Amino acid sequence: MKKILIVLIVLFANTFLYARQDNRIIRVETDKLGMVFLVREDGIVNYQYFGDKISSDLSVYSARQKNPLLGECPEPGLFPAYGERNVFEPALRLVHADGVLTTGLIYVSDKTVKIDGNISETVIRLKDRIYPISVDIHFKAYKKENIICQHSEIFNEGEKEIAVEKMASAYVPLHSQSCYLTHFSGAWAAEMQLYEEKLTPGIKKIESKKGIRTTQSESPSFLLSLNGPANENYGEVYAGSLAWSGNYQLSFELDECEVLHILGGMNPFASTWHLAQGESVSTPEMVLTYSPAGIGQISRNYHDWCRKYSLQHGDQIRPIVLNSWEGAYFSFNEETITEMIDNAAEMGVEMFVLDDGWFGNKYPRNSDKAGLGDWQPNTTKLPRGINYLAKYAVDKGLKFGIWIEPEMVSPDSELAKKHPEWIVKSGDREILKIRNQWMLDLSNPEVQDFVVKTFDNVMALSPYISYIKWDANRHVTNVGSEYLSADRQTHFWIAYIKGLYSAYGRIRAKYPETMIQLCSSGGGRLDFGALRYHDEFWPSDNTNPLNRVFIQYGTNLFFPAIATASHVSTSPNHQTGMNTPLKFRFDVAMSGRLGMELQPKDIVGNDRVFATKAIETYKKIRPLIQFGDLYRLISPYQEGGWSSLMYVNKDKSQAVFFAYSIRFHERTKFFECRLNGLDPAKKYKVTELNTVATRKYLWINNKIFSGEELIKKGLELDIKACFDSAVLLLTEI
Ligand code: DGJ
């Protein structure tokens, strides 16, 4: 009886309180985007709109809830919890202390704070009608970049523990006659392959249960095009990318009212999070954007935002790297490395990175079978240690970087013997190996300390180390933690990634200048969650330029060229066995952050001359590539067998254009492409770059065209043969 009375009082108080909200409208806005929410009289907050910013009054929205036509199609809420009238996938699902499974959220308050001239943050606080929990929905709006980052946080204000079974970062409802989802899938050496499909009624889910890698199979980044497949330059497109390196779930549920309910966040799979009295838990950010004019603008929004807010040193030019992996693998000694450095220096390379294989003594790292965890230089291979090599590189005018994989341990290592309690394991079950290695349990603060210490110790090997390649070559299997208590085992997934981010954060605070590359067997961990602590990422172990055209196409839809390590390797390619011309390999690699991944002494004769010149050329054009706006001109997924892209600087006075012939073209076929992205009012002189002695300059070399002609009529180029390519510099005259 007493309980019923309390419930009635709470309901009455809520009704009284929210009646005064009087259809309050809450707007979250950037220069071009707008989100609109409506606080209804009964306290429910409706999600009214997300899209092109509406500058006028929004009275129509507050009247909408009274529209009788909508009777069958309830207005979507701001953050639909499981309970009350919600029958769709919930954004929030809780088990309250008394076992009640439902939640009913109503408005408490909202506040918008200006963080600086470009960023403002709106927090809408909701609470359960009855139970003592609150939920804050955060929106960080980046004005100029037109990005809105959304996340949520839940507070247990009661005395007893509750269980959070699911909590999304963001919910977005869209109403459209048809929705086309672009998502990504792949595998090792085939990351970010693009799939586009028309959504049909029901639920499409994209998710990962691999724990610590997000992008080698599926990806937490997506595009959503309304009323037709996504186009580069027109059509309404929404995009989201979850800034999280752990398990995630995206769901797209199309209902009978043609409303698409989009949810994204951490994967609820086996992840119950217990919240004790006074505790709270927050979700990662979903990075959202929208374009009324195609996916080109979506990418440019992400790139601008990423360079400024989600990448280390996003305003600094990246050096040209030689990485030792494909040139030496595990078989090297001092001489191998110094010879590589000599050759790299001769060719104009600016950074040498010593990859895997340099450490371990009792269990030397001479293959992937041993040594992970024992981060001491191998004295047989490198008797004078790392400092000798690092100084050697610096004396030759190069910077020096080194590879680590601090989250992992080999069964054959001193670390595994010393700290078996640090290894991820499922009780007494066999600890399964992947690439012959086990994982350390980063939910354990001691292991986080070890990871930070590993970084410290490696940095202490030489004052000349200025770059770290951070690798992670496996995912979670047979999950479990000796550190977490029996009733907290489901916390592992979230606790690991929060532990990893805490370690990254401590490292970043201590080494703000060090460049760090994000790598996970190639592009296994490519998400904005991890990227914000890094300077760049390794998109794939596949260095074959043909495959890279596709991998980088998908990757660069979200992530900018400045961070896309793109290395020229040898031919035939080690992953695919494919033969390609050196020019094609450079032309593809130069569309990202150029590097090399080979034995440089093997580049001889004309190839050596070409490579040295191409490196010199890249130094001149890299500001365009690394800071410019990306315009994709021809997608490799189109039928023609060409691919083309262009980077244009912000004032459109210079551009660099890339074109690739990715299959054989019959004599009757020719390359033609419109150069959207230039200024129609300007005139541009075209200069062909990366020319080879065996081919004449293309006819457009040294010619002048109006921007308008290049945009409307475009360029025809004689690049027909398989793996023919062209790089053009366009300069305003
Ligand atoms: C996987 C990375 O993607 C490669 O580049 C290389 O660093 C190897 N690991 C080394 O084991």
Side-chain angles (χ1 to χ4, degrees):
M1 184 62 192
K2 200 174 148 203
K3 205 170 169 189
I4 295 173
L5 208 67
I6 293 170
V7 169
L8 284 176
I9 292 168
V10 171
L11 284 175
F12 174 77
N14 284 334
T15 312
F16 176 71
L17 179 65
Y18 300 112
R20 288 185 306 161
Q21 290 308 320
D22 199 16
N23 287 334
R24 177 173 163 65
I25 278 175
I26 305 167
R27 299 183 191 223
V28 173
E29 289 175 342
T30 68
D31 278 349
K32 296 196 176 140
L33 310 187
M35 283 178 175
V36 180
F37 310 106
L38 172 74
V39 187
R40 292 188 342 196
E41 286 172 2
D42 59 2
I44 287 176
V45 185
N46 280 346
Y47 200 124
Q48 295 286 353
Y49 176 76
F50 175 29
D52 225 4
K53 180 156 116 183
I54 302 169
S55 304
S56 66
D57 283 354
L58 287 162
S59 47
V60 64
Y61 279 106
S62 46
R64 190 161 170 218
Q65 63 172 299
K66 300 186 182 83
N67 183 348
L69 290 177
L70 295 172
E72 288 296 314
C73 299
E75 286 282 312
L78 163 66
F79 198 69
Y82 175 65
E84 303 202 328
R85 293 180 194 281
N86 181 29
V87 288
F88 301 114
E89 278 289 293
L92 178 68
R93 192 164 82 74
L94 303 176
V95 182
H96 296 281
D98 59 1
V100 163
L101 297 173
T102 58
T103 298
L105 295 177
I106 48 169
Y107 176 87
V108 176
S109 63
D110 69 277
K111 195 163 84 181
T112 298
V113 180
K114 245 185 159 197
I115 294 178
D116 61 28
N118 193 44
I119 311 171
S120 57
E121 183 166 25
T122 300
V123 183
I124 304 177
R125 173 158 279 216
L126 307 170
K127 65 169 190 171
D128 189 88
R129 288 180 194 279
I130 295 171
Y131 287 89
I133 61 113
S134 300
V135 179
D136 283 353
I137 314 296
H138 293 250
F139 301 88
K140 236 189 214 174
Y142 296 80
K143 226 160 128 3
K144 276 208 270 353
E145 297 76 18
N146 294 303
I147 292 281
I148 298 175
C149 291
Q150 186 175 344
H151 83 276
S152 51
E153 185 169 8
I154 179 165
F155 303 84
N156 181 4
E157 288 155 353
E159 284 167 11
K160 295 201 183 126
E161 189 170 292
I162 61 166
V164 182
E165 296 292 350
K166 177 179 183 185
M167 186 152 156
S169 293
Y171 166 73
V172 179
L174 298 174
H175 183 234
S176 175
Q177 292 184 26
S178 62
C179 293
Y180 288 77
L181 173 69
T182 300
H183 59 104
F184 303 86
S185 184
W188 175 79
E191 291 85 346
M192 289 300 273
Q193 303 298 303
L194 183 152
Y195 295 83
E196 182 168 34
E197 63 194 82
K198 183 175 174 186
L199 291 171
T200 52
I203 306 181
K204 166 94 187 172
K205 280 188 182 170
I206 312 273
E207 61 175 25
S208 163
K209 299 191 192 82
K210 290 188 166 175
I212 65 152
R213 49 168 54 173
T214 32
T215 35
Q216 223 146 30
S217 310
E218 306 298 313
S219 158
S221 302
F222 67 92
L223 303 169
L224 213 283
S225 169
L226 303 190
N227 302 313
N231 180 282
E232 197 56 38
N233 303 312
Y234 60 81
E236 283 197 82
V237 191
Y238 292 81
S241 187
L242 187 72
W244 182 241
S245 311
N247 290 348
Y248 60 86
Q249 190 179 76
L250 309 174
S251 71
F252 304 86
E253 182 170 16
L254 187 59
D255 72 12
E256 65 268 43
C257 301
E258 292 178 333
V259 173
L260 180 68
H261 304 265
I262 304 173
L263 279 169
M266 297 183 289
N267 197 338
F269 175 79
S271 292
T272 303
W273 189 270
H274 302 274
L275 269 190
Q277 178 188 15
E279 283 184 350
S280 67
V281 65
S282 64
T283 68
E285 285 182 328
M286 174 62 88
V287 187
L288 296 163
T289 191
Y290 162 83
S291 160
I295 57 176
Q297 193 55 49
I298 292 277
S299 301
R300 292 186 287 278
N301 291 353
Y302 275 122
H303 296 174
D304 284 344
W305 174 80
C306 179
R307 274 190 298 256
K308 195 148 179 212
Y309 298 107
S310 199
L311 190 67
Q312 296 286 317
H313 314 116
D315 57 351
Q316 289 173 26
I317 282 290
R318 299 300 194 253
I320 298 168
V321 171
L322 171 70
N323 182 295
S324 68
W325 182 239
E326 286 194 31
Y329 293 107
F330 293 104
S331 315
F332 57 83
N333 56 25
E334 263 179 10
E335 204 191 324
T336 329
I337 301 304
T338 52
E339 200 180 20
M340 279 179 132
I341 293 171
D342 289 343
N343 279 273
E346 255 178 56
M347 295 168 74
V349 168
E350 299 160 311
M351 165 86 70
F352 176 81
V353 178
L354 178 60
D355 210 285
D356 200 350
W358 59 267
F359 51 91
N361 286 298
K362 186 162 178 199
Y363 300 96
R365 183 74 172 166
N366 291 328
S367 74
D368 63 17
K369 293 200 169 59
L372 284 177
D374 302 347
W375 299 104
Q376 299 80 35
N378 179 288
T379 48
T380 314
K381 279 180 179 169
L382 307 174
R384 282 176 281 190
I386 294 300
N387 188 48
Y388 170 74
L389 293 177
K391 183 165 183 319
Y392 189 91
V394 168
D395 288 345
K396 290 273 171 177
L398 273 78
K399 294 185 169 170
F400 185 86
I402 194 161
W403 179 97
I404 55 173
E405 196 181 2
E407 299 157 73
M408 304 289 164
V409 58
S410 303
D412 280 346
S413 67
E414 294 181 71
L415 181 69
K417 320 277 177 230
K418 196 166 160 207
H419 284 295
E421 78 284 9
W422 284 1
I423 293 161
V424 172
K425 60 170 88 67
S426 215
D428 293 332
R429 291 189 199 289
E430 183 189 352
I431 312 174
L432 302 176
K433 288 183 272 186
I434 296 182
R435 207 197 187 211
N436 303 305
Q437 67 199 52
W438 292 332
M439 287 181 51
L440 296 178
D441 172 12
L442 264 88
S443 72
N444 181 345
E446 265 185 37
V447 179
Q448 295 162 28
D449 290 347
F450 169 79
V451 165
V452 175
K453 193 92 193 84
T454 298
F455 199 98
D456 275 336
N457 292 345
V458 171
M459 289 300 287
L461 293 174
S462 167
Y464 299 108
I465 295 175
S466 51
Y467 176 111
I468 296 283
K469 173 172 175 176
W470 183 310
D471 207 344
N473 283 300
R474 63 161 292 169
H475 59 266
V476 184
T477 51
N478 260 353
V479 66
S481 161
E482 270 191 35
Y483 168 74
L484 297 170
S485 59
D487 62 348
R488 293 291 188 268
Q489 288 294 306
T490 53
H491 284 208
F492 175 85
W493 306 106
I494 299 176
Y496 183 104
I497 299 300
K498 291 203 168 174
L500 175 67
Y501 289 174
S502 156
Y504 280 160
R506 286 161 65 190
I507 287 166
R508 265 300 164 205
K510 195 159 174 198
Y511 303 97
E513 296 309 324
T514 306
M515 288 187 72
I516 310 181
Q517 186 188 73
L518 173 62
C519 173
S520 178
S521 306
R525 194 184 259 170
L526 184 44
D527 55 75
F528 286 123
L531 189 58
R532 65 164 67 109
Y533 301 98
H534 296 79
D535 295 72
E536 59 172 30
F537 55 86
W538 182 230
S540 180
D541 273 352
N542 191 338
T543 53
N544 189 39
L546 173 64
N547 304 90
R548 274 300 183 115
V549 166
F550 287 89
I551 292 167
Q552 290 175 198
Y553 178 89
T555 301
N556 293 146
L557 280 162
F558 300 89
F559 305 97
I562 188 173
T564 310
S566 187
H567 294 182
V568 173
S569 59
T570 197
S571 183
N573 181 270
H574 289 184
Q575 293 79 37
T576 63
M578 191 178 277
N579 277 298
T580 53
L582 187 64
K583 172 175 165 55
F584 185 63
R585 282 178 269 149
F586 263 97
D587 286 2
V588 171
M590 281 167 74
S591 70
R593 193 282 280 135
L594 175 68
M596 295 202 294
E597 182 103 7
L598 39 64
Q599 174 50 272
K601 74 172 178 194
D602 292 347
I603 309 181
V604 292
N606 283 343
D607 278 355
R608 181 87 168 198
V609 176
F610 173 84
T612 308
K613 182 85 197 315
I615 287 170
E616 189 188 317
T617 302
Y618 185 76
K619 288 178 187 165
K620 293 192 187 121
I621 60 171
R622 69 183 154 184
L624 287 170
I625 296 157
Q626 298 185 3
F627 303 131
D629 286 335
L630 170 64
Y631 287 85
R632 285 176 295 265
L633 306 175
I634 302 178
S635 158
Y637 287 93
Q638 276 170 239
E639 285 158 23
W642 278 286
S643 175
S644 180
L645 62 144
M646 183 169 69
Y647 295 98
V648 186
N649 65 358
K650 296 281 178 192
D651 68 8
K652 295 189 186 283
S653 60
Q654 263 205 328
V656 58
F657 163 97
F658 296 88
Y660 311 112
S661 168
I662 55 175
R663 68 163 165 79
F664 164 73
H665 291 96
E666 306 82 345
R667 292 176 69 180
T668 49
K669 301 282 190 311
F670 62 95
F671 174 95
E672 184 178 32
C673 152
R674 293 174 175 74
L675 274 61
N676 180 45
L678 297 176
D679 181 345
K682 291 192 194 312
K683 279 196 162 23
Y684 296 93
K685 181 176 171 196
V686 176
T687 313
E688 187 181 3
L689 307 176
N690 284 4
T691 50
V692 276
T694 47
R695 198 193 72 187
K696 282 196 297 201
Y697 274 92
L698 293 167
W699 71 275
I700 29 80
N701 186 42
N702 272 330
K703 303 252 178 337
I704 292 167
F705 301 89
S706 75
E708 187 182 4
E709 184 184 352
L710 291 169
I711 293 167
K712 292 184 179 166
K713 168 74 178 85
L715 271 185
E716 288 170 24
L717 295 178
D718 186 15
I719 51 161
K720 278 196 205 319
C722 191
F723 307 138
D724 208 349
S725 53
V727 183
L728 308 174
L729 179 67
L730 290 93
T731 310
E732 182 187 2
I733 53 151

